[in-house]
Amino acid sequence: MRPILMVAAAAALAGCGVIYNSPQVGRGFAGDDTAVRVVPITPQTVLAANRSAYQPKQLPAAFSQTAGTSAATGPGLGALPPPIFRPEDRPGELALRVPPEAQERPYRIGVGDVLLLATPTGSSVEQLSGLLAAQNSRQGYTVQDDGAIAVPDVGRISVSGMTVPEAEDRVFQRLVEAQIDPTFSLEIAEFNSSRVSLGGAVSNPGVIPITLTPLYLEEALANAGGVTAQDVDYASVRIYRDGQIYQIPVNDLYASDQLRRIKLLKGDAIFVDDTYDLAQAQAYFEEVITRSQLQQTARTQALAELNSAVGFQRAALAEQRGNFTARQSLGAEQPDFVYLAGEVQTQSRFAMPYENDTTLADALYEQGGYSNQTGNSRQIYVLRGSADPRDFSAVTAWHLDATNAANFVLATRFELRPNDVIFVAEQPVTRWNRAISQIPPAILNPVNRAVNDT
C-alpha cells in the first residue's frame, strides 16, 4: 500500500508542477494579466491571418541586375553611361535609359548604295506601245568602296557622304566636263549603307535600311513583325550605339509615344530581350559589330568597348553582392526570424527567406518537424504578439490540431510573420515520464521492488 501512495503522491506533485514544470499556452507573461486569445487554424482563419501586412525582406538590387554599363571610364572609352539599373530600384524592375535625341539630318549617300540615273531617250516602238513602264533610260550604279560610282564615258564620280542634291550637282559638273547632255535625274534605288540590325524576341529579325525619311523605333519593330515576348514585364528593347547600351522596357515603350518615336541612326543594333539577361543581347551586338565592321580596323576597338562596358558593370555587381554577403556573415544584415520551441526536433530560430513568404510547414519541417513520441500533435501553436513592438497587451495563439492529418494542408497555407513562435506542446505521458525521472531513486526503488514482487 505504501508504494502505491508514493506513486500517487509523485503523480500529484507532477500534476501541480512541484516536481516538473513544462511550457504550455497559458494566460500571458509572468506577473500580469495579458490576454491570450486561442484561435483554431481553419481555412477561414488562415485567410484572416494572412491578411496582416507583411513584405518579405528584399535582396539588394545587385542580386537581380544583369551586367550593363557603368559610369566608370577606361583607356579610349571616354565617359561610359550610367548603370542600366539603379540601386534604388526594386529587384526585378527594368530601368529606363533612353539614348540622346538624334538631330534631324538629311540622308547621306554611302558605300553600297545603288544610285539610279535617268536620262531622256528618243521615241521608240516599245515606248509608244506602252510596253515600257518608263520613258527614260534608267541605269543603276553602286557606290564602291572608294565612295565613287563609275559612269561610262564620264569616269568615276565621288559621291559618298553627299546628300542627293549635292550628288546631283557633282554628276552635273562631270557630265558638262565630258560634253554630255546634263539632263538627268538621280535617285537612290537601294539603301545599303545606312542600316539598323534588329534581333531577339521579334517575328522577323534582320536588317532594316534607313531611307530618305527617318526610321523610328516603332517602325523598325513593326518591320520585324513586332515583339514576341510572352512576359512583357521582363522584356526590354536594348539599343547598342557607339559603344553604349541603352534600355527601354517594353511596358514603357507601349505607354509612351515619345519612346516609340525614338529616331534610329546608322549602325544602331537593337535587341529585344525577354530573358532579363544581357548575355544574349551582348552576343547579338557582337555579331552585328563583327559583320558590319569586318573589313574595318575599328572592329576590334568596338568589341573592346562593349566588353569593357559590360565588364565594368559585372565587376560592380559582383562587388555589391560580395559586400552584402560579408555584411551578412558579420551580422550587419539580419533577416527576419521565426522561433521554434517545445517538442520540436531542434529548438532554434528559422531565418525567413528573402523575397518569399514563409508558411508554418516551411519553418517547422525545415528544422526537422516535431517529435511524434514526445510532441502532442493536438497542440501545435503559432504564438503572435501585436505588430506594435511596444504593445504587450495581447497574444494570439493560432492553434493547429494535427490529429487529423488533413489539417497539415492548412500548415502549408498559413503564412508566418517575423518573431512568430512555433510551439509544440508535450504529450501528457511525456510530462509524467519527465516528472518521474526527477524523483530521487530512494523513493522509486521501493516502488519498483513492490511491483516486481507482485
Side-chain angles (χ1 to χ4, degrees):
M1 187 67 181
R2 181 181 177 187
I4 296 175
L5 291 176
M6 295 175 65
V7 172
L13 292 174
C16 67
V18 174
I19 294 180
Y20 173 70
N21 289 318
S22 60
Q24 54 186 315
V25 177
R27 293 176 56 189
F29 304 104
D32 67 17
D33 294 326
T34 301
V36 175
R37 183 169 64 104
V38 178
V39 179
I41 294 181
T42 65
Q44 292 74 26
T45 59
V46 167
L47 294 176
N50 292 348
R51 278 197 291 266
S52 62
Y54 171 61
Q55 179 65 39
K57 283 191 173 181
Q58 304 294 303
L59 285 169
F63 284 86
S64 300
Q65 297 170 5
T66 53
T69 55
S70 69
T73 60
L77 292 177
L80 296 177
I84 289 179
F85 301 93
R86 299 185 298 273
E88 64 269 18
D89 288 339
R90 64 175 177 82
E93 181 179 6
L94 291 170
L96 171 66
R97 200 164 61 82
V98 182
E101 184 177 357
Q103 297 180 359
E104 293 289 339
R105 295 177 179 175
Y107 184 89
R108 296 194 173 273
I109 299 169
V111 175
D113 286 346
V114 177
L115 303 185
L116 202 61
L117 291 179
T119 57
T121 61
S123 299
S124 67
V125 176
E126 292 82 6
Q127 292 172 343
L128 293 175
S129 63
L131 296 179
L132 293 180
Q135 295 183 358
N136 293 335
S137 175
R138 301 164 67 86
Q139 179 65 47
Y141 301 94
T142 301
V143 180
Q144 303 299 320
D145 289 342
D146 61 352
I149 58 175
V151 180
D153 301 326
V154 176
R156 302 188 68 79
I157 304 176
S158 180
V159 294
S160 180
M162 297 182 178
T163 64
V164 172
E166 291 171 346
E168 287 179 337
D169 292 342
R170 177 66 59 85
V171 173
F172 180 87
Q173 293 174 4
R174 294 297 303 273
L175 292 177
V176 170
E177 293 171 0
Q179 297 183 353
I180 298 176
D181 183 3
T183 304
F184 71 98
S185 65
L186 184 146
E187 63 185 66
I188 302 176
E190 297 181 21
F191 297 85
N192 297 319
S193 65
S194 297
R195 299 190 294 179
V196 170
S197 300
L198 202 151
V202 292
S203 298
N204 302 305
V207 177
I208 302 173
I210 298 178
T211 63
L212 297 178
T213 57
L215 177 64
Y216 298 103
L217 181 57
E218 64 177 352
E219 296 177 53
L221 293 174
N223 288 337
V227 176
T228 60
Q230 297 296 321
D231 188 355
V232 296
D233 290 335
Y234 289 95
S236 63
V237 177
R238 289 193 172 105
I239 301 175
Y240 176 70
R241 177 183 295 173
D242 298 331
Q244 301 179 3
I245 301 173
Y246 304 95
Q247 176 174 271
I248 303 171
V250 172
N251 280 333
D252 293 345
L253 180 69
Y254 289 158
S256 171
D257 291 336
Q258 183 177 1
L259 293 178
R260 291 196 297 271
R261 298 290 291 176
I262 290 177
K263 183 181 177 182
L264 301 179
L265 302 180
K266 174 182 177 180
D268 281 355
I270 303 169
F271 188 86
V272 180
D273 195 347
D274 62 349
T275 63
Y276 205 14
D277 183 359
L278 191 63
Q280 290 192 13
Q282 180 185 3
Y284 177 79
F285 295 151
E286 289 179 350
E287 178 183 353
V288 171
I289 294 171
T290 303
R291 183 176 64 250
S292 63
Q293 300 182 349
L294 185 60
Q295 298 179 347
Q296 302 177 26
T297 57
R299 180 178 68 87
T300 302
Q301 180 181 357
L303 290 174
E305 288 177 353
L306 174 62
N307 291 330
S308 297
V310 174
F312 279 124
Q313 181 65 6
R314 282 181 175 158
L317 291 177
E319 183 178 8
Q320 293 175 34
R321 294 166 186 170
N323 289 342
F324 178 79
T325 303
R327 287 176 58 84
Q328 268 194 319
S329 65
L330 296 174
E333 298 284 348
Q334 286 284 356
D336 292 325
F337 288 105
V338 170
Y339 301 87
L340 292 90
E343 299 305 314
V344 293
Q345 294 289 3
T346 303
Q347 300 202 41
S348 58
R349 65 179 185 178
F350 171 78
M352 302 178 73
Y354 288 86
E355 303 182 12
N356 283 302
D357 292 321
T358 306
T359 66
L360 171 57
D362 292 334
L364 185 60
Y365 289 99
E366 179 73 19
Q367 303 300 100
Y370 67 94
S371 171
N372 288 327
Q373 292 183 341
T374 62
N376 188 348
S377 59
R378 189 184 297 275
Q379 297 189 51
I380 300 175
Y381 296 92
V382 176
L383 306 178
R384 181 175 299 170
S386 171
D388 186 350
R390 299 167 298 179
D391 183 10
F392 295 95
S393 61
V395 174
T396 301
W398 300 93
H399 175 214
L400 177 67
D401 183 354
T403 51
N404 181 356
N407 286 342
F408 281 118
V409 174
L410 299 176
T412 66
R413 310 285 176 82
F414 188 93
E415 296 177 4
L416 297 177
R417 298 294 180 258
N419 298 319
D420 279 355
V421 177
I422 301 173
F423 173 75
V424 180
E426 61 187 354
Q427 295 274 19
V429 69
T430 302
R431 185 183 302 111
W432 162 261
N433 289 337
R434 289 172 176 170
I436 293 299
S437 67
Q438 297 185 46
I439 299 176
I443 297 177
L444 291 181
N445 285 339
V447 177
N448 293 334
R449 285 196 298 271
V451 171
N452 292 333
D453 290 342
T454 58

